Amino acid sequence: MAQPLMPHATASWLVDNTSLSFEQIAEFCGLHILEIQAIADDTAATKLTGRDPVRAHEITQEEIDKGQADPDHRLVMLKGPDQVRRTKGPRYTPVSKRSDKPDGIAWIIRNHPEISDGAIGNLIGTTRTTIAAIRDRSHWNIANITPKDPVTLGLTTQRELDAAVAKAAKAAGIEAPVDTRLEGDREALIVELRAQRDQLARDAEAAEAGESPVSAEPTAENLFRR
């Protein structure tokens, strides 16, 4: 599925300028719903400048209006200009994150040994020599390398990692593992967000009727107590 050229900046704009649900924004931008929550709460690792997808001709205002009217509507992206992609050389990694590469490589080797060195190189943006050195523990800094999730480190996306795992598992004739680490958090967050959306709608109706909203702001704790 096509994604905006700058998904995080686009998500920031949609959070600030529309009433789309976090689920709709996450799906449209190809991000995790918890990333959208972090952007909305202003706790994202990087302060983002919003990018208007309407002005970028990636979506129409009519399509956004449909999504705001129907929380179950899946936003459809316009076919925009072809994105510029690197065709040669390793993936570019910001200087600030390059020291994290060995930790990300070690995590993949430990948790997904079925992934080839070539696939790891494509995910992390590194060389086969570096990967081999970490595999056989001959890397010059091996004593300080700690396996860490490359998605958490910002070296790759969850979608790209899942695709690499699925492809490697298929080639090896094994069943791809299912990552359920965030399942509980995801479900709790979705429940809370839906409750907040419903409460806002009720408050708006009460305001139109000249009544004062008296309900407390819903939280995950009191939602599960009901």
Side-chain angles (χ1 to χ4, degrees), residues 38-193:
I39 291 172
D41 292 342
D42 202 22
T43 58
T46 304
K47 182 63 178 177
L48 300 168
T49 299
R51 178 175 185 269
D52 185 348
V54 177
R55 293 185 62 183
H57 304 293
E58 294 175 337
I59 193 172
T60 63
Q61 183 60 50
E62 290 75 16
E63 184 67 14
I64 291 178
D65 292 342
K66 288 180 182 179
Q68 293 179 133
D70 179 8
D72 295 323
H73 179 71
R74 300 178 63 180
L75 299 176
V76 177
M77 183 176 178
L78 291 173
K79 177 174 174 56
D82 292 335
Q83 300 182 17
V84 178
R85 300 183 182 276
R86 292 170 59 93
T87 56
K88 295 182 180 179
R91 172 198 296 268
Y92 174 76
T93 304
V95 174
S96 61
K97 295 184 180 295
R98 291 179 189 175
S99 61
D100 294 331
K101 284 186 177 184
D103 293 344
I105 295 168
W107 187 92
I108 294 176
I109 291 174
R110 185 186 69 181
N111 293 279
H112 299 291
E114 70 278 9
I115 298 182
S116 68
D117 288 0
I120 295 175
N122 290 334
L123 280 172
I124 305 296
T126 188
T127 65
R128 292 175 184 267
T129 301
T130 300
I131 299 170
I134 295 174
R135 277 191 187 278
D136 61 24
R137 302 191 63 79
S138 63
H139 190 279
W140 66 273
N141 196 34
I142 194 66
N144 297 314
I145 294 177
T146 303
K148 295 178 183 177
D149 189 337
V151 175
T152 303
L153 293 174
L155 298 172
T156 187
T157 66
Q158 188 65 55
R159 182 168 297 185
E160 290 174 324
L161 178 59
D162 289 345
V165 171
K167 183 176 180 180
K170 182 178 180 180
I174 61 178
E175 183 176 352
V178 178
D179 186 355
T180 59
R181 291 171 299 168
L182 295 176
E183 197 64 36
D185 291 341
R186 182 186 302 114
E187 293 301 324
L189 179 58
I190 289 174
V191 169
E192 182 172 351
L193 292 175

Side-chain angles (χ1 to χ4, degrees), residues 10 33 35 47 71 101 123 143 181-182 196 201-202 211 224:
T10 300
I33 191 171
E35 292 182 271
K47 182 63 178 177
K101 284 186 177 184
L123 280 172
R181 291 171 299 168
L182 295 176
Q196 289 176 346
R202 288 193 293 270
E211 302 173 0
F224 289 118

